[in-house]
Every structure is written in C-alpha cells, then in structure tokens.
Amino acid sequence: MYLSFSNIKNIFVHIIIGLALIFVQVYLPQIWINPNLSINFDILLIYLTCIAFIYKTHQIVYFAFMIGLFQDLVVNIELIGILSLLKSLSVFLIGR
C-alpha cells in the first residue's frame, strides 16, 4: 500500500528534516572569496542526494521540487523557482 501509515510517517519525517535543514542553511556562515563572491554550502542538496539513493527517484523528485520551492520563498525571493528546478533536476540525474 502506497499510503499506509508508515509511509505517511516517513513522508512527514522527511518534510520536517528538510524544513529544519533549510533554516539551518540560512544561518550557516558564508565563505567570502572576494567582496563580490561568496560560497554557501547546500546542506539540503546533500540530504536529497542521500535519500535519492534510498527511495524511488520519482518520489524524491517531487519532494525535491516542493522543498526547493519553499527554499526559494525563504532564501532567494528574487528568483522564484530556480532552486526547485535545480534540486529536482539534480535528484533526477543522481537517481538515474
């Protein structure tokens, strides 16, 4: 059964972990290369890569799109949709 209680529980656990990682990522320090260029680590992409190896690819692509869209709304409001596209595309290519 696709929507059994254990699957719903796993979905909620991954959603909570994903949202927590977004808020942790907001407060992580930046590495400044020069005054105009900085590097941020994408902990959420590392997490999505790990669960892409565990679960089916199409489920994680949907999850990555929704989490990426939420990350766009929190972190990068100027370019809505770019992180959701990049995260779902990277999870799809990793899961292949």
Side-chain angles (χ1 to χ4, degrees):
M1 294 179 79
Y2 181 71
L3 291 176
S4 65
F5 178 72
S6 63
N7 285 339
I8 292 174
K9 183 179 175 183
N10 286 337
I11 291 169
F12 284 127
V13 166
H14 289 298
I15 288 172
I16 297 299
I17 291 172
L19 294 177
L21 286 176
I22 289 172
F23 289 115
V24 166
Q25 187 173 343
V26 168
Y27 293 109
L28 280 179
Q30 297 178 352
I31 299 173
W32 289 94
I33 305 298
N34 63 26
N36 297 327
L37 181 65
S38 67
I39 297 174
N40 294 337
F41 294 108
D42 197 356
I43 297 174
L44 187 62
L45 186 60
I46 296 170
Y47 176 68
L48 289 172
T49 302
C50 291
I51 63 173
F53 290 128
I54 298 171
Y55 296 106
K56 295 178 182 176
T57 305
H58 68 278
Q59 294 173 348
I60 304 304
V61 168
Y62 297 138
F63 179 69
F65 183 80
M66 297 309 293
I67 290 293
L69 191 62
F70 183 74
Q71 187 178 8
D72 277 336
L73 294 173
V74 172
V75 176
N76 195 7
I77 197 71
E78 293 88 19
L79 298 171
I80 296 287
I82 192 72
L83 286 176
S84 58
L85 175 69
L86 290 175
K87 292 207 185 312
S88 59
L89 183 66
S90 64
V91 167
F92 174 73
L93 292 175
I94 288 169
R96 275 182 105 191

